[in-house]
Amino acid sequence: QQQVKQSPQSLIVQKGGISIINCAYENTAFDYFPWYQQFPGKGPALLIAIRPDVSEKKEGRFTISFNKSAKQFSLHIMDSQPGDSATYFCAASSRNQAGTALIFGKGTTLSVSS
Amino acid sequence: DAGVTQSPTHLIKTRGQQVTLRCSPISGHKSVSWYQQVLGQGPQFIFQYYEKEERGRGNFPDRFSARQFPNYSSELNVNALLLGDSALYLCASSPSPGTGSYGYTFGSGTRLTVV
């Protein structure tokens, strides 16, 4: 059972365009929603994260939009650059558990063309 | 500051063998988690350790085991290797088991190939 569904699987965006990646979750106990960026040969790196008490969080060119009632959240990358080309993963977890596991989506491969 | 250090970076093993992967967390981090990332998929949770105790276990068979040492470093052991165990094994460290504002910091992983 996949608890975090991510789309699209791949995305091609022109330099300067907006990249949008969507995720949906099922477990209402989730209360922490991070996005990770992964380059080939590297581990995932935390990009930005949000808790469900806010609907939007912005850090530089990266914005998370969160819709608690729809159980959906999305990553927007403004002014996309070739250096943003990477695989992006959404994830979710619950801090109420004794052990905290991040549940990841399957990833979106972003290519930004110059 | 050193990040999360994993060793070895690459490993080739034969089916049925056993393997041990190692992880050193960021200085001051007391929690270590292990994830398996199959090619083309997101990481899957295997274990979380905190203060040398197991705090969580994912849906993996008993062939997978781990431990954490007094210096907070950790080892992941996999016995009776199967071809399907071929993956990137990631270690993540955090100050505590809960996902606070620092989140998890992942290492670059160990690429295990089972032939």
Side-chain angles (χ1 to χ4, degrees):
Chain A
Q1 181 184 5
Q2 184 184 355
Q3 296 190 57
V4 179
K5 294 184 179 180
Q6 184 172 347
S7 63
Q9 185 176 356
S10 62
L11 185 60
I12 299 174
V13 173
Q14 294 268 8
K15 179 182 176 181
I18 302 173
S19 304
I20 301 174
I21 305 171
N22 301 299
C23 281
Y25 63 97
E26 299 166 5
N27 188 344
T28 55
F30 288 150
D31 60 2
Y32 177 71
F33 303 90
W35 284 90
Y36 283 85
Q37 179 188 58
Q38 186 176 29
F39 292 103
K42 298 292 185 183
L46 179 64
L47 199 58
I48 186 172
I50 197 169
R51 295 206 182 270
D53 51 347
V54 296
S55 59
E56 186 175 281
K57 182 175 182 180
K58 183 176 181 179
E59 290 184 1
R61 296 186 294 110
F62 302 93
T63 299
I64 298 180
S65 296
F66 186 83
N67 186 330
K68 188 175 181 179
S69 61
K71 293 187 286 185
Q72 295 175 347
F73 58 110
S74 60
L75 175 70
H76 291 64
I77 305 175
M78 312 300 288
D79 186 27
S80 298
Q81 299 297 312
D84 296 331
S85 297
T87 300
Y88 292 81
F89 293 96
C90 62
S93 71
S94 169
R95 60 182 162 179
N96 292 322
Q97 298 171 356
T100 303
L102 283 170
I103 309 300
F104 284 84
K106 290 189 174 183
T108 297
T109 301
L110 171 66
S111 296
V112 181
S113 60
S114 53
Chain B
D1 282 344
V4 179
T5 305
Q6 290 188 244
S7 63
T9 55
H10 295 83
L11 202 53
I12 299 175
K13 289 286 189 178
T14 303
R15 275 179 297 174
Q17 284 188 316
Q18 175 264 342
V19 68
T20 298
L21 311 180
R22 297 176 175 81
C23 172
S24 294
I26 290 173
S27 177
H29 284 195
K30 298 181 179 180
S31 181
V32 169
S33 300
W34 287 95
Y35 286 77
Q36 180 196 64
Q37 186 176 21
V38 174
L39 196 63
Q41 300 291 317
Q44 271 199 294
F45 174 71
I46 310 175
F47 287 110
Q48 183 178 55
Y49 275 77
Y50 176 66
E51 296 279 13
K52 298 182 291 179
E53 291 189 1
E54 182 183 301
R55 298 295 295 269
R57 171 187 285 254
N59 188 23
F60 279 81
D62 292 343
R63 298 185 295 108
F64 289 76
S65 63
R67 56 179 175 169
Q68 186 176 33
F69 299 98
N71 66 353
Y72 305 113
S73 66
S74 177
E75 287 182 352
L76 174 70
N77 294 285
V78 186
N79 293 322
L81 285 166
L82 304 174
L83 294 179
D85 295 332
S86 295
L88 180 68
Y89 287 85
L90 295 162
C91 173
S93 79
S94 58
S96 64
T99 48
S101 58
Y102 296 107
Y104 288 178
T105 301
F106 283 88
S108 292
T110 294
R111 171 70 63 187
L112 173 65
T113 302
V114 182
V115 296

